[in-house]
Structures are given as structure tokens and as C-alpha cells.
Amino acid sequence: MNIFISEKCTVDEVRAWDMSAIRGVRLTRGSSFEPGAHGLALAKLASHVKGELEVQCSFAEPETSNEFETTLLSGAFGISLIRHAKQITFGPSHNPASDKLGGNLARFYRERGGLLGMGQNCSLVCVDPGHSLPPKLRAYARHEDRDFPLDRSGFHQLLSSMAQLLGFHYFLNSSTVSDLTSFVFECFVNSQEHGQSTLSTNSVARQGVRALMMDKVVIKSTTKHNSLSEEMQKYIARSSEAAGGKLGLGLVCMTVADQGDGIQHTLPPDTPNETPIQRFARAFTADVTRKPKGDIKRGRGLSNALSAAHRMRARIEIHSSGVHFVQDFSLEDSEYPQLDVAAIVEDPSTKGCGTVVSIWVPEFESGLDQRELFDRKNLLPVA
């Protein structure tokens, strides 16, 4: 079975991919993903045996950086797809890829410093093992002697540069800056540490692709968002109403995606009978870690991320190798950050795939405080 990736391929479409049955992928120049779907597509490739996919591209083989930039091959999914493929063809005549494809792609990656994309989305792409820390990431490094040389301050600068690429003027300027940076930073560090599979015998295990992605959803009075889920449309409506006409460009979707084993599988079981869902929930508990007990400040990444999402009244969605979780904190009734355990469900469609953590946050005009805007009186259910 072949899959055709259409324009703005949705999360539901990607979730429906049966990777065990897929033998090929067809791309056009217009192939793209809606916000939140790109990371899931990347993670799903982790469950497909490397070197077994046939990739058909309706466009001519890209050679220059500008030519790569106009196709899906320039993103994290496209790069991983090329690494998985046993055969790639281009154009209506299905011409086999030239010997220069790999070199041209590598040159494009180096020219962009690993920060790829513009317009509607951009991604910091980490390619293991050669470019686990892309040049754009190292540019903000302060501790070159460490495995992960970036602190929160440098990471915030990186996020700001990505937001500017997408045309956001006020994003990260509110009092929630540290909350958002903390959430994405902790998730990204977790991905760096656990994003390579140790369970799979698949050769992709140590040659995976990880990414920090940023997408935008422009919100205007005339804009339709029918392609998004009903829950997402209601979140947009609540954000717009709370802003009182002071909404900025729109909505930011930030995603950290990898091709590892999943959150629950990187954490040792607490008891012999602990289920994957129970282990997933425990991963969000403070001081839970698979690192040695003597390590300082370990085991608080996911719990800190949960607290940040609660304070921001954000919406998060996680796919984690057979587990699916969605929680909209703009509707959270609890005074304290609590994981909605009932929202953690088994998801056979992503079994064997990596981890994808997405957070959706609205951009408000300068001077507005998201915590004040997301007051309970402004968050009544939207009919």
C-alpha cells in the first residue's frame, strides 16, 4: 500500500497510517502537514523498517537550497523519509534519484544550520548521529563541555528567532515567557536524552531524526479553521474571546518529536504489574527519573512541563508509542496542575513510534498577560 501526502495532511490522517502495510510514499510539491501533524508523521517512521520504502516525488529532483525549501523533503519528515527509502524517483517519468541527492541535501542542511523552513512553519532538525546538535543550536551554546551545551536563556533566544521567522511580533514577550521556555526546553532535553531507540533492532535506532517544530495558525475574523479538530476550534475561539480583540498574529503550535521508544518505555517499571498508561502518568510526577539518584535536579522535567502548561492555560497533546494524551488546560478546573489520568488512552496506531509533544499557545499583543486573560470568566465553553 502507498500513501499519498496531500496538502495540509491532518493529524487524523497520519494517525490512520498503518506503517506495517505501507510500502511507499507519494509526494507532490504541494504536500504538507497541518500544525501538529508533521511531528507525528516523523515519529511514525520509527516503526517502519529502514530501507524498505519506495518514495515517488511528482516534482523534479531538487538540487539547490531554494529548490529543497519548496518541498516536503526539506523538513524533518522528508529527511527521515530519504534515510528510510530504498528507492526515490522524481518527475512524471519516475527518474531514479541521482548520486548527488544526498550531498545536495547535506549542503542545504549545512547552509541553513539545521533550522529549516519559513512562512507557515520552521523546524530545528537534529540528525543522529552526525548532527545531534545542529549548528543553529550550538550558536547559542554557553557550555561546550556539556552533552547539551544550552541553558534556558540561550534556548529562549533560539525560540525567539524561530518565532520571528514566522512573523510573530509579540510571542514570548508576556510574563509567561519563562513558563513556555521551560516547557519546551524540558521536553527538548528529554528528547535529546531519550530520543534514540534502545529497544528496536531496526537500523533507524541510532540514525533517527528529532525536531523542534514551530507552526502558526493565523487567526482573523474571516479565517476558517474547518480542517482543525472541533476541540482545537473551540480553543481558538476561547483564546480570541479572552484577548478581547488584542490577539496577535494567531496561534503558535510548538512540537518536540523524536523516533525513540516513548516516554513510558524509557522509565523502568515501578511494580511488575504496572501498565504502560500507569507508567506514562508516573513520568509526570516530580522526582521520577531513570537517571542515577545522585544526579542533581533530575526527574522534574515532565512535572515542570505540566506545571508550565497549567499556568499558561495551554493545550497539550502527546503521542508516545502506543499512548495518546490530550489535555486542554484552558478548561482545567483544578487550582493546581494535575494530570488528567482519564485522558491517557491506549493508541495502537502509534505503537512502536517515537514521542511527540505538542503545545498550542495563542499570541497576544504586547503588554497583555496571558494568565490574566485566561481568567475563568473568559473561559466559558464555546457553543
Side-chain angles (χ1 to χ4, degrees):
M1 180 180 76
N2 290 345
I3 56 171
F4 168 65
I5 300 180
S6 60
E7 184 176 357
K8 296 190 181 301
C9 183
T10 67
V11 170
D12 288 340
E13 287 177 309
V14 177
R15 283 171 56 83
W17 290 356
D18 181 359
M19 300 308 293
S20 65
I22 292 174
R23 296 294 175 264
V25 178
R26 294 189 295 124
L27 304 177
T28 67
R29 194 172 294 279
S31 294
S32 61
F33 294 105
E34 73 171 8
H38 193 161
L40 181 58
L42 171 67
K44 279 216 145 187
L45 282 179
S47 64
H48 202 287
V49 178
K50 190 174 183 181
E52 294 293 328
L53 279 173
E54 295 183 1
V55 180
Q56 298 177 4
C57 304
S58 65
F59 47 87
E61 179 178 331
E63 297 181 1
T64 67
S65 293
N66 288 338
E67 290 173 352
F68 270 106
E69 200 87 74
T70 62
T71 74
L72 194 59
L73 295 180
S74 67
F77 174 80
I79 292 174
S80 184
L81 190 63
I82 290 175
R83 299 179 99 193
H84 271 74
K86 68 176 180 180
Q87 182 183 40
I88 306 176
T89 60
F90 291 94
S93 300
H94 303 294
N95 300 316
S98 71
D99 295 336
K100 297 180 180 180
L101 177 63
N104 288 335
L105 178 61
R107 185 176 67 252
F108 159 67
Y109 181 89
R110 289 193 300 269
E111 287 179 2
R112 298 292 191 267
L115 184 57
L116 314 178
M118 60 181 64
Q120 292 297 118
N121 54 74
C122 63
S123 302
L124 180 75
V125 182
C126 308
V127 184
D128 297 322
H131 299 283
S132 296
L133 294 173
K136 281 289 186 182
L137 186 71
R138 286 194 174 277
Y140 298 100
R142 293 188 179 184
H143 312 284
E144 285 292 348
D145 58 329
R146 299 182 184 176
D147 291 337
F148 189 70
L150 208 64
D151 59 17
R152 280 179 173 79
S153 174
F155 194 76
H156 171 66
Q157 294 181 57
L158 173 66
L159 294 183
S160 295
S161 68
M162 294 175 70
Q164 291 169 12
L165 279 177
L166 301 187
F168 288 105
H169 299 295
Y170 311 114
F171 188 53
L172 299 177
N173 288 337
S174 76
S175 64
T176 58
V177 166
S178 60
D179 294 340
L180 179 61
T181 301
S182 174
F183 185 101
V184 182
F185 180 80
E186 296 286 2
C187 291
F188 190 69
V189 172
N190 272 290
S191 176
Q192 288 280 336
E193 295 175 342
H194 308 309
Q196 292 182 328
S197 177
T198 58
L199 299 177
S200 175
T201 57
N202 189 343
S203 59
V204 75
R206 293 296 176 182
Q207 296 184 1
V209 175
R210 294 170 288 103
L212 167 64
M213 304 174 176
M214 185 179 291
D215 294 90
K216 71 179 178 183
V217 178
V218 177
I219 299 177
K220 297 180 181 178
S221 58
T222 57
T223 305
K224 301 294 184 181
H225 300 100
N226 297 334
S227 62
L228 298 177
S229 68
E230 182 180 354
E231 292 78 11
M232 197 64 251
Q233 293 181 50
K234 289 182 177 180
Y235 182 79
I236 291 174
R238 284 194 298 275
S239 301
S240 301
E241 183 180 359
K246 298 297 184 179
L247 197 66
L249 182 60
L251 204 66
V252 184
C253 176
M254 302 201 64
T255 299
V256 176
D258 64 45
Q259 297 176 316
D261 299 319
I263 294 171
Q264 68 277 16
H265 296 301
T266 62
L267 187 66
D270 191 34
T271 65
N273 297 324
E274 187 178 40
T275 67
I277 287 181
Q278 290 171 334
R279 203 182 312 173
F280 178 93
R282 187 164 57 86
F284 283 83
T285 304
D287 298 321
V288 171
T289 179
R290 77 175 201 173
K291 293 293 185 293
K293 293 294 185 181
D295 281 14
I296 300 175
K297 295 183 180 179
R298 301 318 306 260
R300 293 186 175 272
L302 290 176
S303 63
N304 286 348
L306 187 66
S307 297
H310 177 267
R311 290 193 299 272
M312 288 186 297
R313 306 295 185 254
R315 180 184 188 272
I316 63 173
E317 181 169 14
I318 302 175
H319 294 87
S320 180
S321 190
V323 171
H324 184 213
F325 168 74
V326 180
Q327 188 163 358
D328 186 341
F329 287 92
S330 71
L331 293 176
E332 180 60 67
D333 295 326
S334 175
E335 184 179 354
Y336 304 101
Q338 294 179 351
L339 189 75
D340 183 5
V341 178
I344 308 172
V345 297
E346 292 186 1
D347 182 16
S349 72
T350 61
K351 191 172 183 179
C353 303
T355 300
V356 186
V357 181
S358 292
I359 176 171
W360 303 75
V361 184
E363 181 201 41
F364 295 111
E365 289 186 5
S366 181
L368 293 181
D369 190 314
Q370 285 175 301
R371 295 185 213 178
E372 295 175 0
L373 284 166
F374 276 109
D375 185 86
R376 291 292 174 249
K377 64 183 179 182
N378 290 328
L379 287 174
L380 298 176
V382 177

